[in-house]
Amino acid sequence: MNRPRRTDPGRRERILDAALDLIARDGSAGVTYRSVAEAADVPMGSMTYHFPTRDDMLLAEDRSTSSASEAPCAA
């Protein structure tokens, strides 16, 4: 019997949010795959699926933060 595939469309964003929180608290040098997975409440396999390396995760977080700060504000 095949098990249905679990979907979690917000998982990638949750990982990035957790990474941002941990970077703010511990600095980027203190952020690990394991600490982000635990904070985001995701399995380690999801970490490597979305971000093959720790550097990929940090770069994606930086890009996410940069694009959010460049978005025009509604006044």
Side-chain angles (χ1 to χ4, degrees), residues 11 15 33-34 37 42-52:
R11 189 172 284 183
I15 291 169
Y33 257 1
R34 195 166 306 281
V42 300
M44 286 295 292
S46 291
M47 296 294 296
T48 57
Y49 174 80
H50 291 291
F51 308 103

Side-chain angles (χ1 to χ4, degrees), residues 7-35:
T7 60
D8 185 356
R11 189 172 284 183
R12 186 177 193 280
E13 289 75 27
R14 205 164 61 245
I15 291 169
L16 291 174
D17 289 343
L20 179 61
D21 291 344
L22 291 173
I23 289 169
R25 188 185 78 190
D26 303 331
S28 61
V31 175
T32 65
Y33 257 1
R34 195 166 306 281
S35 66

